[in-house]
Amino acid sequence: MDLMKYPPKILLAFGETISGNDEINKWLLNNGFPELAALSHAIRGSDEAFAWLMNSGYPELAALDSAIDDDQKAYNWLKVNKFLFLIVFAEACHGKPDAMNWFMKHDLHVLLGITQRIRSFRENQTFDYHKLHF
């Protein structure tokens, strides 16, 4: 799976879903991009969306979600399976300068913007131990 294969408009729409735009997420789901809709939901914490990615032929996007969550096994899986772009994407989501510079050098500003939306979303999450499910 190569995120660069998507038209810029679709990537911009995907970026909006990271910020919680459910209307655009539904549009992606119903217009041939269910994997992007699921990835957005997985990034936002949906275990169901993560499972859908795993069971629907998109394990690399599930691994990307886990790599964004700093899962070293996911990073290793992406590396072994040669999804190097997704590693750079995850690293850019963490604000690593080399990864961010790689996106700028390759004129991939839309994708860089998405990584920054993901980073902003993750940094603004609060953890409430009262909501833990046991």
Side-chain angles (χ1 to χ4, degrees):
M1 169 59 56
D2 185 355
L3 292 175
M4 293 187 291
K5 77 173 187 159
Y6 295 100
K9 281 194 212 181
I10 299 303
L11 291 172
L12 288 170
F14 171 64
E16 287 296 314
T17 68
I18 300 301
S19 302
N21 189 321
D22 288 331
E23 187 175 316
I24 293 177
N25 199 290
K26 287 177 189 173
W27 185 90
L28 288 172
L29 181 64
N30 295 318
N31 287 280
F33 305 99
E35 70 280 8
L36 293 180
L39 177 58
S40 176
H41 277 293
I43 289 168
R44 294 177 59 77
S46 170
D47 292 334
E48 182 182 347
F50 179 88
W52 185 90
L53 290 168
M54 289 296 291
N55 296 321
S56 299
Y58 300 98
E60 69 279 8
L61 294 182
L64 171 61
D65 172 53
S66 294
I68 290 169
D69 287 340
D70 250 348
D71 182 326
Q72 193 57 48
K73 287 181 183 178
Y75 271 107
N76 292 340
W77 188 91
L78 289 169
K79 186 175 182 179
V80 165
N81 290 283
K82 299 183 177 17
F83 289 106
L84 303 180
F85 171 79
L86 296 181
I87 292 171
V88 175
F89 188 91
E91 290 176 347
C93 289
H94 290 283
K96 293 187 178 178
D98 287 345
M100 294 170 65
N101 288 335
W102 185 90
F103 277 96
M104 288 186 281
K105 177 181 170 187
H106 290 91
D107 200 27
L108 298 172
H109 300 286
V110 171
L111 287 164
L112 179 60
I114 293 169
T115 67
Q116 297 314 292
R117 281 182 181 252
I118 293 169
R119 183 176 179 202
S120 176
F121 170 78
R122 291 178 45 74
E123 288 177 350
N124 289 306
Q125 294 304 296
T126 56
F127 179 73
D128 183 351
Y129 69 89
H130 293 101
K131 294 182 180 180
L132 284 177
H133 298 286
F134 293 98

